[in-house]
Amino acid sequence: NKVSVAPAPYEPDMIVLDPTIATMPAASGHTYYATRWPFVNHLLDIADSITHGRAGQLQRFVSFAFLGGLASLVNLAVFAVMLSRSVPTNYDVRYLTAFLLASEISIIVNFSLNDYFTFRHLPGHSRSWSARCARFHMTSISAILLTLLINFALSHGLGIHAIVAQAIAILIVLFYNFTIHHLFTYRHVKTAASN
């Protein structure tokens, strides 16, 4: 018995590095990666039709938002625990320590989940794990600074509770983060011919 392998779906924004990889759309014309759930695939078909072939990007955004939400829960939990600690007693030092530790732990969780589930089909995933992790961290630095700025403005400027301000900041930065990861972390890998 011969096992047939369906070609990978075509994505309009994908740059193909290996000429042996199919560059034409799959027979179905999908621009997304099929799931094991027929209902979800049906919704993606509808989204593909409505968005004129952008269901793959929508699929990645939903995955990124969901997995980022899990990482954000980790962030909030670590932030809350560290902020409530009595040592150090200086609130500003405790606040900054809680923010930095929560950010780093959530970056690792976010990278691990999204690297496997969300971005594994993008050309930039062909980089080594350490290169992807470093790029993810570099991209996340600007997002952390933006989150800190928004959190600080909301909590110190408007008097919103620090944990609520952190949650609002994370939600706002979600869209920024997704876009930057697309443009930098997982963009195509340049080949010798394209240099």
Side-chain angles (χ1 to χ4, degrees), residues 53-130:
R54 296 288 182 199
Q57 290 177 351
L58 179 63
Q59 181 183 33
R60 282 191 300 277
F61 180 77
V62 169
S63 174
F64 183 80
F66 176 75
L67 297 174
L70 295 178
S72 295
L73 292 176
V74 171
N75 182 300
L76 290 171
V78 172
F79 186 75
V81 167
M82 293 302 296
L83 194 60
S84 67
R85 300 295 249 188
S86 58
V87 177
T89 54
N90 181 303
Y91 178 80
D92 291 334
V93 173
R94 197 167 67 238
Y95 176 91
L96 185 60
T97 303
F99 183 88
L100 293 175
L101 186 61
S103 295
E104 179 57 26
I105 290 172
S106 66
I107 286 172
I108 295 296
V109 170
N110 205 4
F111 168 71
S112 300
L113 294 173
N114 278 298
D115 186 63
Y116 181 77
F117 291 107
T118 305
F119 298 118
R120 69 179 175 190
H121 301 298
L122 294 183
H125 199 269
S126 64
R127 291 182 181 90
S128 69
W129 183 91
S130 58

Side-chain angles (χ1 to χ4, degrees), residues 41 64 189:
N41 293 335
F64 183 80
V189 178

